Amino acid sequence: MIVELGHYALVLALALSLVLTVIPAWGAHTRDAALMGVARPAAFAMLFFTAASFVALAAAYVGSDFSVLNVFQNSHSAKPLAYKISGVWSNHEGSMLLWVLILAIFAGLVAWRGAAMPRRLLSYVLSVQGAIAAAFFLFILLTSNPFARVMPAPFEGEGLNPLLQDPGLAIHPPLLYLGYVGFSVAFSFAVGALLEGRIDAVWARFVRPWTLLAWAFLTLGIAMGSYWAYYELGWGGWWFWDPVENASLMPWLAGTALVHSIVVMEKRDALKVWTILLSILAFSLSLIGTFLVRSGVLTSVHSFASDPARGVFILCILVFFIGGGLTLFAWRAPVLRQGGLFAPVSREGALVLNNLFLAAACAAVFIGTLYPLALEAVTGAKISVGPPFFEATFLPLIVPLLLLVPVGQTLAWKRGDLLGVLQRLSAAFGLAFVGTIIVFATTRGGPVAAPLGVGLGFWLILGSLSEITSRSHRRGASVLTVLRRAAGLPRAAWGSAIAHAGVGVTVIGIAATAWGVERIATLKPGEQIALGPYQVTLEGVVPRNGPDYREVAALMVVRDGDRVIGRVEPGKRTFIARTTATSEAGLLTVGLGQIYASVAEVGAADGSAGVRLYWKPWVLLIWLGSVAMAAGGVLSLSDRRARVAAPARRAVPAAVPAE
């Protein structure tokens, strides 16, 4: 009964999304207040029924209702409760229901926070949100129904894909979808502004929090996905330029440019057309990422769909929203009033340059990801575009951008003093240079670019710190006064500095991978192998049983000289339901580095194990920096100026005629 109610709730959510699409938009077009008043209740109702549908599917998973085909194919009665819950979105149908639930949540939040917005703009924004939701509700109901029954009901399910039976499944997809779908709000605001024919600093004030929120979630989602692949797949790497990874990187790059562009528009009422275009492109790239993963054109652990009808349906959604958004932009953008002027050497000019670098980098990733697919579709030829292409095209664009970030964030608005900025940054540059020399002197091996990369990271961190100190310090001021002034700076200033410093932390972690050590060996119990500054000894191979799997683990002890610093226990797991084996990496964190171990073969007659060992210095900085970036975005979001509505413009009083 709960399953049928969930299906019925999904149909009602579709009906409400159609109401939300049509009635408020017509009301905004005709300036009918009663019709525009339908927008907020319809958004709340759509959220309620979408949530009810999702809860019904979750209840079927928790209760192991194998009469539901989706549950039968992706669950098992012996599966731990946590994985039963996260298993709801471990498959194509459930993940699309989560996608549309998050969309409904954002629509509901916009309706809740939209009381202070101009009514016409709010009506257009919620109408576009309703149209996006309607398209995906139709997709789910017509091609990907999560409530389809199987008769007779099987006694037991097939179980979850072993690679997905991990805490990462509970964290990574929701965070990623919050980022993907969050950009739909910026898209809706852009379409609303184009339909209304008005875009100004008030518009930027309303859209900025949603963009920051989506960007922060997407940053965390990408970082979590990277760390999950790092420890789960047993490859020992953190990024592989896989098309699915690139599918999330592209909207992140466009979203980063959008965040900076909105700042210029809010501060200086400039870059209006560019901001609208980026709002459309960020969500368009999110839709393209959804298409790549859900259409079946890619063979990946992420790709759940293999039905061509699904791919065609999603492609139609892409054509309608991306094509429609860009067509509307081409038609209406010329009527938008241009904003304020600024000198090339200014913070606005630096942000424009920042956006150009990011857009070019995004284009490079886009071409490298989609060109092989397009070529195969047109000619049937198959080519592979791998890391060499992206390193040759992406890095030359990103490195100059990172070098310019501290300079850009220190320049004044409207007209900057480049020489004065360089003087203020001289201490940061000097310290970064000294740090680079020290790294050169104290490291051995690895490419020459590695210490330079660490120095670039130092430059970003110290440059961000310099921005805070330059705004807080005054000649002759006491330390207490400086600290008080720093604490009194807007949260947005602190958020920007922390986010930029987080980029520097990540850059240092990436550069440090060059000094990693890899060893491959077959060890017998008691044998020892050197791994960088440490020694790893195999103690033995033991069998273990989990809730729904059997495991053979290699027990290893790690020593630093004569001192034991920890243990790693990589293994091979065989899951009972699917009779498939997975490799489980063993990790030991030492400071900011990690010892990483995986096994190729275990359980030989002599007790030996084939192992692959890595020493990865500073590797945790890659993900800690990403967390700092997202934290900076959230801190900026908490700034009161980003949470309150922009004040209404005062009416200009009419001139009083002379008597």
Side-chain angles (χ1 to χ4, degrees):
M1 184 63 180
I2 293 178
V3 173
E4 280 69 29
L5 289 175
H7 192 187
Y8 184 57
L10 197 59
V11 175
L12 288 177
L14 168 62
L16 287 163
S17 69
L18 294 173
V19 170
L20 183 60
T21 302
V22 176
I23 294 180
W26 182 251
H29 178 70
T30 61
R31 299 181 185 274
D32 187 318
L35 295 181
M36 287 190 286
V38 172
R40 297 178 71 198
F44 293 141
M46 183 181 74
L47 171 58
F48 174 80
F49 284 108
T50 308
S53 180
F54 186 85
V55 169
L57 182 61
Y61 267 85
V62 172
S64 296
D65 185 355
F66 299 121
S67 68
V68 179
L69 179 61
N70 186 265
V71 180
F72 164 69
Q73 293 176 335
N74 299 283
S75 191
H76 190 274
S77 61
K79 190 167 64 172
L81 178 61
Y83 296 138
K84 288 183 179 180
I85 296 173
S86 60
V88 175
W89 54 82
S90 67
N91 54 89
H92 170 76
E93 294 82 2
S95 67
M96 293 312 302
L97 186 57
L98 175 65
W99 202 100
V100 80
L101 171 64
I102 293 174
L103 181 67
I105 290 173
F106 272 105
L109 289 173
V110 171
W112 175 52
R113 298 286 297 172
M117 286 175 57
R119 178 167 285 191
R120 287 191 72 208
L121 177 61
L122 177 62
S123 298
Y124 279 131
V125 169
L126 290 179
S127 179
V128 176
Q129 288 289 105
I132 299 170
F136 280 94
F137 281 132
L138 283 171
F139 172 73
I140 292 172
L141 289 169
L142 296 179
T143 71
S144 309
N145 183 7
F147 299 104
R149 293 284 196 176
V150 55
M151 294 296 177
F155 177 75
E156 191 55 87
E158 296 180 345
L160 181 65
N161 182 339
L163 289 176
L164 300 177
Q165 190 162 312
D166 186 272
L169 178 64
I171 304 171
H172 169 57
L175 287 176
L176 200 65
Y177 285 4
L178 284 165
Y180 276 169
V181 181
F183 284 124
S184 71
V185 180
F187 176 85
S188 300
F189 269 94
V191 172
L194 291 171
L195 291 173
E196 193 177 12
R198 176 187 173 187
I199 178 171
D200 51 21
V202 175
W203 178 91
R205 180 70 62 87
F206 283 120
V207 75
R208 181 169 172 259
W210 304 106
T211 306
L212 268 175
L213 189 65
W215 179 86
F217 277 128
L218 186 56
T219 302
L220 290 176
I222 293 173
M224 182 62 223
S226 169
Y227 190 66
W228 184 13
Y230 163 76
Y231 71 76
E232 178 64 24
L233 299 181
W235 298 341
W238 60 276
W239 191 265
F240 307 98
W241 294 108
D242 179 88
V244 175
E245 293 174 325
N246 295 346
S248 61
L249 179 61
M250 290 186 290
W252 186 86
L253 292 169
T256 304
L258 175 60
V259 167
H260 292 89
S261 186
I262 288 177
V263 171
V264 177
M265 187 174 167
E266 183 182 2
K267 295 280 188 181
R268 300 289 305 142
D269 197 28
L271 301 186
K272 294 182 178 181
V273 174
W274 182 239
T275 302
I276 290 289
L277 179 59
L278 285 174
S279 299
I280 295 172
L281 291 179
F283 182 59
S284 298
L285 291 169
S286 297
L287 288 178
I288 289 173
T290 302
F291 170 74
L292 290 176
V293 175
R294 299 290 174 256
S295 64
V297 300
L298 297 177
T299 302
S300 166
V301 68
H302 301 75
S303 302
F304 306 128
S306 56
D307 184 356
R310 293 172 174 174
V312 172
F313 203 117
I314 296 181
L315 186 60
C316 291
I317 293 175
L318 260 67
V319 170
F320 181 79
F321 286 104
I322 299 177
L326 293 176
T327 301
L328 181 63
F329 172 80
W331 174 44
R332 297 287 290 171
V335 307
L336 297 177
R337 183 177 61 85
Q338 295 300 315
L341 300 177
F342 52 86
V345 180
S346 62
R347 186 169 295 195
E348 297 96 322
L351 289 173
V352 170
L353 189 61
N354 163 84
N355 283 2
L356 291 176
F357 274 117
L358 287 171
C362 184
V365 178
F366 182 87
I367 293 170
T369 303
L370 294 186
Y371 175 74
L373 301 176
L375 182 67
E376 182 178 356
V378 174
T379 67
K382 293 186 177 182
I383 64 170
S384 176
V385 176
F389 169 83
F390 294 105
E391 291 169 2
T393 57
F394 184 80
L395 293 182
L397 293 168
I398 290 300
V399 171
L401 168 63
L402 298 180
L403 285 170
L404 293 173
V405 165
V407 178
Q409 70 184 12
T410 310
L411 284 168
W413 293 100
K414 194 173 183 179
R415 185 181 297 277
D417 178 7
L418 182 59
L419 181 59
V421 165
L422 294 178
Q423 289 175 343
R424 288 197 297 273
L425 288 172
S426 59
F429 179 81
L431 290 172
F433 181 76
V434 170
T436 304
I437 296 300
I438 292 174
V439 172
F440 260 116
T442 57
T443 55
R444 297 289 184 272
V448 175
L452 296 177
V454 174
L456 177 58
F458 288 155
W459 166 240
L460 287 164
I461 295 170
L462 294 170
S464 299
L465 180 62
S466 177
E467 168 67 3
I468 294 297
T469 56
S470 65
R471 296 181 63 172
S472 307
H473 183 265
R474 292 292 182 271
R475 182 173 297 179
S478 65
V479 174
L480 184 61
T481 301
V482 172
L483 293 176
R484 189 182 298 115
R485 289 178 61 88
L489 290 176
R491 293 180 186 175
W494 276 102
S496 174
I498 291 172
H500 290 151
V503 177
V505 172
T506 295
V507 169
I508 292 174
I510 293 171
T513 58
W515 296 301
V517 178
E518 178 184 1
R519 299 294 302 273
I520 301 174
T522 299
L523 299 178
K524 295 180 180 179
E527 287 188 340
Q528 179 177 284
I529 186 172
L531 183 67
Y534 306 106
Q535 300 80 41
V536 181
T537 304
L538 177 66
E539 289 189 326
V541 176
V542 298
R544 296 189 296 205
N545 292 325
D548 58 344
Y549 63 84
R550 295 186 298 271
E551 180 180 32
V552 179
L555 307 183
M556 304 185 201
V557 61
V558 181
R559 292 182 174 85
D560 182 3
D562 296 330
R563 181 172 61 92
V564 175
I565 62 172
R567 298 175 181 274
V568 287
E569 299 181 359
K572 286 281 190 179
R573 289 182 181 177
T574 301
F575 287 80
I576 300 170
R578 296 205 175 198
T579 63
T580 54
T582 63
S583 296
E584 297 296 320
L587 293 175
L588 174 63
T589 299
V590 184
L592 294 173
Q594 283 189 331
I595 291 172
Y596 182 110
S598 63
V599 292
E601 296 181 4
V602 289
D606 58 356
S608 63
V611 299
R612 183 187 294 265
L613 300 168
Y614 301 89
W615 162 236
K616 296 178 174 291
W618 299 359
V619 69
L620 291 181
L621 292 181
I622 296 174
W623 301 290
L624 291 176
S626 301
V627 172
M629 284 186 247
V634 173
L635 186 59
S636 295
L637 185 65
S638 70
D639 193 315
R640 184 176 180 273
R641 295 175 302 172
R643 291 184 285 110
V644 299
R649 292 184 173 181
R650 295 180 180 178
V652 178
V656 179
E659 295 181 356

